[in-house]
Amino acid sequence: MSFLKQNKDVDALVAVMKSRLSEARDKHALYALLTPALSFKGPVKYNNTPLWVVALVGITIAAINAANQRNLRFNGHQELVTTLWVLATLATLIPLGWIAWRSRRLKGLSDAIWQKNLLLDNQLAPVPCDGAKEAKALGQRFYDFRRGNHRRSIDALYKGHYQGEQHSFDYRVFHFHYVDKHTHTSTDSKGRTTTRTSYSHYHRYGLLLDFGYARNIAILGNGSSGHKGSRWEPASLDFRKCFKVLTDDEMAAARFLKPAVVEALTTLGAQFRRANLELNADGALCLSVSDNDLVSLPRPLGLEAPQAFLALLKEDTPLPKLRQLLKEVHLLLVHSDNNF
Amino acid sequence: MNFNILIWNQYLRSAAPNDCAKPLKLIKSCPDTFQGRNYHVRCISGYRGVGAGHPILIHNAIIGRFNASRRAWGDVIAQERQKNEILPALEKVAKDYASHEQGLMEKVTALRGALAGLSGEHIDTRQLAEAEQHMGELLSRLNLTVEAYPDLKATDTYGKLMHEITEQQQNVGAAIRIFNRNVERFNTGIEVFPNSFINRLFTHKKPLDTFDDSQAAAGIEFKPKF
């Protein structure tokens, strides 16, 4: 029964690594985390052979039952047919479900290690928060968090620090998840009314920071969610295609949207999906986009190849889109400050 | 070219009744209950409206792009004038570090004169080219001053000055690129068919020339035909 031992060992390995992962605070702790996987005898994966056999038996029973059910029913064995169907279904679905759960467990651990590595490589630290409360608090500061008529939550929040040539600033990266509820009522030819409810899920990712050099300006590439102000347009026709500017002070908007800023934002609008910039009354900036790879990247390897995975973790893995957004923010600061 | 015929043919090719709501969204809705000849009459009248309005839309779009190009040119001049902000700091550097050298102060004075000559109302790009030329000469002179006085590089004033100059040059460059892009879109907007036809008939706008920064550096005269 070597497969039992192997699966037990993998279970123990996953449990140990999961507990250590939550305690890992730096890269070295992350490398040390992989030590048990490196010294693991055999491949770091579950042996699912017995489960596949059971599932195959279940499929065989189902096939035989399907072929013979007419004869069995004709001979008065209705209960036997039903019993065989139940047995076949259970014998097929339970092992397959178990295999899927095991696969997800290992993949989930690899994903968690990879995500931790990305955060450490990009000097980001998770900020524990209550998603719904945080979304509500941000909704009081920014119109951009007032989207969704059903549910709003901050699914992930990280804090970081950017050191540019001229400016440095603390920032937070967020993953905002909001849900729109739609109710459709239809009446058929007989006058019967049916109501159907559907939910649309949306995700926004972005940066929050204290900007300070401009206030009450919204540069919208993702439509308004209650943003107020009069419309202002810079000279650039390309910019006008990407964004709509709302402000309560046109002079402030004109000062903020210098040609270099307009050009940079036009480029940003082309490279990111549905970008929105909102400077609130306190001078805080919320820059949000729909790109879901702002704080994540696809994982090329996992625990199935621990040696190669460790080598991958030891490499510096930048988050290019996040760095680009931070560079854009730095450019905004450079062009908004007063050098004298 | 008869737009009514064009759009009518397009309508005949379209199948669904709801398609009558598509052209430029001028017809808000065609209820499903609207059947038969009345429906077609309604759609035809809608398309006639579109056909009559189409030249007006083209004319307005050409005017809009022309005005955006003019405004972009105004931004170029406005950014160039921002250089007035750095002149006091440059004079301070000239007094503190190069008081016995008249070169830097002369360049500052020449740039101030060139900036004063810039006009937003009367577009004279020779003046812009001249101002850019003076700016280039001033920066060269400033570099010579820094080489002669290494202490200058470490001063707060010099650091701020260089940041300001860099930002201003970035903004001038960006303003010129935005102007060129607007001109490109304006020119395309009056050259493609049927816009060229409408322009020849009603709008009477001529293509504009883009501004090449190297032309300014070389002192070649450039005049957008506003």
Side-chain angles (χ1 to χ4, degrees):
Chain A
M1 300 299 253
S2 63
F3 69 86
L4 281 176
K5 188 183 181 307
Q6 187 188 335
N7 291 344
K8 204 177 168 182
D9 289 347
V10 173
D11 276 335
L13 179 76
V14 169
V16 167
M17 288 176 78
K18 267 190 174 176
S19 66
R20 285 187 192 171
L21 179 63
S22 56
E23 294 158 15
R25 294 277 175 272
D26 55 28
K27 294 283 283 186
H28 294 292
L30 200 67
Y31 305 152
L33 184 77
L34 261 72
T35 310
L38 292 165
S39 58
F40 191 77
K41 285 171 185 166
V44 183
K45 63 177 187 182
Y46 287 99
N47 186 337
N48 293 319
T49 312
L51 293 173
W52 283 117
V53 168
V54 174
L56 202 64
V57 167
I59 291 165
T60 309
I61 291 168
I64 292 166
N65 199 27
N68 295 307
Q69 65 177 342
R70 186 178 289 183
N71 288 337
L72 288 167
R73 282 195 175 125
F74 186 76
N75 294 325
H77 298 297
Q78 177 62 42
E79 292 85 358
L80 179 63
V81 171
T82 309
T83 308
L84 284 172
W85 273 124
V86 171
L87 190 69
T89 307
L90 292 175
T92 307
L93 293 183
I94 289 173
L96 290 178
W98 201 341
I99 290 165
W101 176 79
R102 281 175 167 180
S103 167
R104 264 207 316 274
R105 196 171 182 224
L106 267 179
K107 190 175 165 292
L109 180 59
S110 296
D111 285 343
I113 293 168
W114 177 243
Q115 188 61 26
K116 188 87 166 184
N117 171 64
L118 285 178
L119 296 179
L120 290 169
D121 277 348
N122 293 276
Q123 295 82 48
L124 292 169
V127 179
C129 69
D130 180 316
K133 278 183 186 171
E134 190 66 31
K136 193 177 177 182
L138 287 169
Q140 286 166 353
R141 295 177 63 207
F142 298 100
Y143 287 105
D144 225 32
F145 292 96
R146 298 180 192 180
R147 298 174 188 277
N149 61 9
H150 179 62
R151 194 163 62 83
R152 300 163 188 164
S153 76
I154 299 295
D155 284 1
L157 191 64
Y158 309 107
K159 63 179 178 187
H161 180 80
Y162 183 80
Q163 182 64 54
E165 270 183 43
Q166 292 181 49
H167 292 272
S168 64
F169 54 86
D170 292 324
Y171 64 91
R172 290 192 296 166
V173 188
F174 64 84
H175 169 195
F176 175 48
H177 174 196
Y178 64 95
V179 183
D180 269 332
K181 184 180 177 180
H182 312 277
T183 306
H184 314 273
T185 306
S186 56
T187 310
D188 63 11
S189 55
K190 291 176 182 174
R192 287 177 300 204
T193 305
T194 52
T195 305
R196 195 165 52 86
T197 305
S198 65
Y199 299 91
S200 303
H201 292 255
Y202 300 96
H203 300 268
R204 301 280 293 166
Y205 308 83
L207 300 175
L208 296 163
L209 60 126
D210 290 326
F211 191 80
Y213 294 110
R215 288 165 210 288
N216 295 323
I217 301 170
I219 300 161
L220 308 170
N222 186 39
S224 173
S225 53
H227 300 84
K228 291 181 174 67
S230 55
R231 185 129 185 216
W232 186 84
E233 287 182 330
S236 171
L237 292 167
D238 289 339
F239 179 91
R240 292 182 197 178
K241 264 176 74 176
C242 296
F243 296 105
K244 181 174 84 169
V245 180
L246 293 176
T247 179
D248 60 0
D249 182 357
E250 293 191 5
M251 285 302 291
R255 275 196 302 272
F256 177 69
L257 287 163
K258 290 174 181 166
V261 170
V262 166
E263 199 179 37
L265 290 178
T266 307
T267 308
L268 184 135
Q271 289 175 340
F272 288 86
R273 287 169 49 225
R274 306 173 77 84
N276 258 16
L277 285 91
E278 187 186 344
L279 285 150
N280 70 6
D282 302 326
L285 171 69
C286 169
L287 199 171
S288 63
V289 295
S290 290
D291 299 64
N292 62 1
D293 51 354
L294 194 68
V295 277
S296 65
L297 284 176
R299 174 174 53 82
L301 286 164
L303 286 168
E304 69 281 355
Q307 200 71 51
F309 192 38
L310 179 64
L312 186 71
L313 296 182
K314 284 184 175 175
E315 288 173 18
D316 184 50
T317 315
L319 290 162
K321 287 200 171 178
L322 177 65
R323 290 195 181 183
Q324 195 183 337
L325 274 193
L326 291 166
K327 261 175 74 176
E328 295 290 347
V329 169
H330 185 260
L331 185 137
L332 295 182
L333 286 164
V334 163
H335 283 281
S336 302
D337 67 349
N338 187 353
N339 288 311
F340 293 111
Chain B
M1 175 56 65
N2 189 332
F3 290 100
N4 285 321
I5 292 170
L6 263 180
I7 296 168
W8 174 236
N9 288 341
Q10 188 190 337
Y11 161 66
L12 286 178
R13 283 197 295 271
S14 67
N18 285 340
D19 283 358
C20 75
K22 284 182 183 174
L24 299 173
K25 298 176 183 173
L26 286 179
I27 307 164
K28 291 292 179 198
S29 64
C30 283
D32 291 344
T33 53
F34 212 93
Q35 297 292 334
R37 202 168 59 173
N38 286 344
Y39 156 76
H40 290 289
V41 166
R42 181 175 163 150
C43 278
I44 291 163
S45 63
Y47 277 106
R48 277 188 182 156
V50 172
H54 202 59
I56 297 168
L57 291 174
I58 290 172
H59 169 82
N60 290 350
I62 290 171
I63 296 294
R65 284 190 287 264
F66 178 76
N67 287 341
S69 300
R70 284 186 69 168
R71 194 172 147 197
W73 180 254
D75 280 357
V76 173
I77 300 299
Q79 291 305 319
E80 196 67 24
R81 282 186 180 154
Q82 289 289 312
K83 292 190 169 94
N84 279 311
E85 283 185 16
I86 60 168
L87 297 181
L90 280 165
E91 282 172 338
K92 188 177 184 301
V93 168
K95 278 176 191 165
D96 292 352
Y97 286 89
S99 53
H100 61 284
E101 290 179 27
Q102 285 301 301
L104 187 61
M105 193 60 101
E106 280 170 13
K107 298 295 176 198
V108 170
T109 309
L111 177 62
R112 179 174 277 120
L115 292 176
L118 289 173
S119 168
E121 292 165 22
H122 309 288
I123 295 159
D124 184 356
T125 49
R126 264 182 324 170
Q127 285 281 6
L128 177 67
E130 201 180 306
E132 279 296 303
Q133 195 181 325
H134 283 302
M135 185 69 196
E137 287 171 6
L138 191 150
L139 290 175
S140 303
R141 192 74 213 182
L142 189 63
N143 283 336
L144 289 173
T145 308
V146 170
E147 281 172 23
Y149 305 94
D151 295 352
L152 171 60
K153 215 169 186 173
T155 61
D156 191 39
T157 308
Y158 179 78
K160 286 174 178 174
L161 186 61
M162 289 321 288
H163 282 314
E164 188 65 26
I165 289 170
T166 306
E167 286 166 33
Q168 284 184 2
Q169 291 303 92
Q170 282 175 355
N171 277 311
V172 169
I176 288 169
R177 285 190 293 275
I178 288 168
F179 167 75
N180 285 345
R181 180 76 183 113
N182 281 9
V183 165
E184 186 189 323
R185 288 188 62 181
F186 166 75
N187 288 348
T188 306
I190 61 170
E191 286 165 0
V192 296
F193 186 82
N195 300 24
S196 54
F197 178 77
I198 302 297
N199 183 51
R200 202 165 53 240
L201 221 60
F202 305 112
T203 323
H204 309 301
K205 292 290 177 200
K206 291 184 170 56
L208 298 171
D209 294 328
T210 53
F211 181 82
D212 187 351
D213 205 18
S214 63
Q215 282 183 338
I220 296 167
E221 188 179 336
F222 165 81
K223 282 189 181 177
K225 300 165 197 154
F226 289 135

